[in-house]
Amino acid sequence: MESTLLSAVLVGLVGVFCMLDSRLLGRLNFEQPLIGATLVGLVLGDVQTGLAVGAATELVSMGLVQVGAAVPPDMVLGGIVAAAFACLTGASAETAMTIAIPVAVLGQLLGIVFRSIIVFLGHLADDAIEKGNFKVAYRMHIVWGTVLYSLMYFLPIFVAVYVGTDVVQAVVNMIPDWVTNGLNVASKILTAYGLALLLTMMINKGMTVFLILGFALASYLGLSVTAVSIFAVVLALILMSLKYGDGSGAAMASAGGADPDYDPLEDDDED
Amino acid sequence: MAENKIQSVSKNKKIWQFFWRSWAIQDSWNYERQMNMGFLYGLVPTLDRCYPNENDPEQLEKKKEAYRRHMAFYNCTPQTSAFVLGLSASMEEQYAENTASLNPDSINAMKTSLMGPLSGIGDSFFQGTIRVIAFGLGVSLAQQGSLLGPVLAMVISIIPSVLITWFAAKLGYEGGNAYLQKLQSGNMMDKVMYVCGIVGLMAVGGMVATLIGATTPATFSDGTLVIQDILDSIMPQMIPLALTGAMYALIKKGVKTGWLLVICIVGGIILSSLGILA
């Protein structure tokens, strides 16, 4: 039981580190399921499991981005808790995914509660400014904001890992094969969902061809995502200079600019 | 006009302050005014230097006014916020030196007008492009069990973040207005969005083909005709493409996130039990 307590604290601290990435480090992306789950694997001594759960949860969360006030299901919290369960109980990455999702929804709700509580800090800061207590005002941000956001991750992770491991272990042992196989397929569909969600934010009119090009390069030619990205950067830079008239394009445009009626395709019939 | 001596400090130190404090801007993100306290926190060193003497009632009033000013609603990508912090700080200093030189309302007006474009460009660059590529690569390596995956993902994420924040802070403080006009006239924003759009979409296309990996174990009657082989001869990774398309259609139809997750899990178990997908 002591080791469970220690594990719960360690995993909780991993969660705090990930959360503070977006709070204090401008979201350098430590707050991503892949990183959180891998760190959990490191502190619990099972890196491979952490990586596997991290990769699976990361794929689902690809499309989940906090835009404005809408808080998506918190797959970072889900990934951290799921990785802890997988490491502590020996469950597979697919099984862990089913733990990740309810935890992510719970995290979403907690996120809403905490972000509402912080509204009050804002009003306390307003009052402090009126009284000339400037330090009190900005400490609402840098001290109390940090504390509240840390608790928002530490508490649920600690409780889930400390109390939940035995329960989850028992449930995992009862899962029949058809469920395990089904969850394996489900994790693939979830990945498709994550990518589709990403696409809803990215596809603009006339840009779908690039999606198809990227897919075709990888599926027919067997290129890796790295290779596709490199081709994409080169292609995008070429197209940009054509579209916006940089470089040689600009030279041509300015040559044409000397005579506003100049049209290289125009026939010289009237001469 | 009251004499107002601004405490001086080296320019580099100021830029580093904007740098770190723009990264900390989400520390008290809330529903009401979002990053308001974060923005104030970013300007605290500047404001404290502008109004150092709290015993002077006039300065104290000015200081309160300035603090109140920056408690207004603010929301923008942290990295590009460094630009807004730098520009606001230079405007606050100008106003503190000579109150007639600037209408303080114009500071918040500038902030409000920059939030939209800078978070649009910042989010599509950091969240839409860098994150997608970094973690697309990271996941494909992690799936092979390599610790290099998360490490590489972080390296790709951190480098542009550091560079952009630092230059944004520097440009914003040293003459934000001039750069801003240049940026807008040269349709720089459109260019960045266009390039990010192409790279992001192609990377996602590659991920659809490499990361999902769903196949069908189904065969025709006597087991001699494997459906997966037929599909592969037409287009490899056709099933992942179809799954992504189907999920895209469901999202576009406005099906709620919770239901979609249920559909994924229940659908996966059913399709697997029927021997359609593996």
Side-chain angles (χ1 to χ4, degrees), chain B residues 156-171:
Chain B
I156 298 176
S157 300
I158 290 174
I159 291 172
S161 186
V162 171
L163 291 177
I164 289 180
T165 313
W166 201 81
F167 281 108
K170 191 173 157 69
L171 293 181

Side-chain angles (χ1 to χ4, degrees), chain A residues 6-269:
Chain A
L6 181 65
S7 304
V9 171
L10 286 175
V11 177
L13 291 178
V14 167
V16 170
F17 171 73
C18 290
M19 169 46 90
L20 291 183
D21 166 56
S22 68
R23 300 305 112 190
L24 295 175
L25 297 176
R27 204 184 290 276
L28 289 178
N29 286 342
F30 286 107
E31 189 185 355
Q32 287 295 127
L34 176 63
I35 306 298
T38 305
L39 289 175
V40 169
L42 280 172
V43 300
L44 296 182
D46 188 350
V47 180
Q48 288 306 317
T49 303
L51 279 171
V53 176
T57 39
E58 181 69 48
L59 281 169
V60 181
S61 79
M62 276 282 185
L64 302 173
V65 177
Q66 184 172 342
V67 180
V71 180
D74 194 336
M75 285 306 291
V76 181
L77 189 72
I80 288 171
V81 172
F85 280 133
C87 290
L88 293 172
T89 66
S92 71
E94 287 84 36
T95 314
M97 278 299 294
T98 47
I99 299 162
I101 288 164
V103 174
V105 174
L106 174 77
Q108 178 183 21
L109 296 176
L110 271 177
I112 293 171
V113 171
F114 273 79
R115 285 170 173 82
S116 307
I117 293 174
I118 295 174
V119 170
F120 292 103
L121 293 189
H123 290 278
L124 292 177
D126 286 335
D127 294 344
I129 292 170
E130 285 319 306
K131 294 187 187 115
N133 294 330
F134 301 107
K135 266 188 188 165
V136 175
Y138 68 75
R139 278 183 186 154
M140 288 296 164
H141 172 75
I142 199 67
V143 177
W144 292 109
T146 310
V147 168
L148 280 172
Y149 272 111
S150 301
L151 285 178
M152 175 182 147
Y153 257 42
F154 187 83
L155 291 179
I157 292 172
F158 177 83
V159 171
V161 176
Y162 187 60
V163 180
T165 311
D166 294 339
V167 181
V168 172
Q169 174 83 71
V171 174
V172 165
N173 289 342
M174 289 176 355
I175 296 176
D177 271 357
W178 63 270
V179 176
T180 316
N181 293 337
L183 292 177
N184 186 24
V185 172
S187 71
K188 292 174 179 175
I189 302 178
L190 281 167
T191 303
Y193 166 61
L195 294 175
L197 206 53
L198 197 60
L199 288 174
T200 56
M201 298 185 306
M202 300 172 87
I203 288 188
N204 289 320
K205 223 175 162 190
M207 298 288 271
T208 319
V209 285
F210 297 108
L211 172 72
I212 297 169
L213 178 60
F215 176 83
L217 285 174
S219 82
Y220 285 111
L221 302 182
L223 297 185
S224 67
V225 181
T226 320
V228 172
S229 309
I230 291 170
F231 280 117
V233 171
V234 174
L235 178 68
L237 291 175
I238 294 170
L239 287 176
M240 183 193 79
S241 66
L242 287 178
K243 184 175 160 113
Y244 293 94
D246 275 6
S248 59
M252 276 168 65
S254 62
D259 174 7
D261 294 329
Y262 174 73
D263 179 352
L265 297 178
E266 200 172 38
D267 289 337
D268 289 335
D269 284 347

Side-chain angles (χ1 to χ4, degrees), chain B residues 146-244:
Chain B
S146 168
L147 202 54
L148 197 63
V151 172
L152 188 69
M154 286 316 298
V155 171
I156 298 176
S157 300
I158 290 174
I159 291 172
S161 186
V162 171
L163 291 177
I164 289 180
T165 313
W166 201 81
F167 281 108
K170 191 173 157 69
L171 293 181
Y173 185 71
E174 285 181 348
N177 272 320
Y179 284 108
L180 207 62
Q181 277 163 7
K182 213 170 158 187
L183 219 86
Q184 280 166 343
S185 66
N187 56 26
M188 193 64 194
M189 302 258 187
D190 291 344
K191 284 184 192 171
V192 174
M193 297 290 253
Y194 184 69
V195 170
C196 286
I198 292 176
V199 177
L201 279 173
M202 281 184 67
V204 174
M207 286 177 209
V208 171
T210 53
L211 294 181
I212 300 175
T215 54
T216 175
T219 53
F220 274 126
S221 55
D222 55 349
T224 50
L225 210 50
V226 181
I227 294 180
Q228 185 64 44
D229 290 348
I230 302 172
L231 294 179
D232 281 347
S233 68
I234 303 168
M235 180 193 269
Q237 303 300 333
M238 194 193 264
I239 293 176
L241 185 64
L243 285 175
T244 311

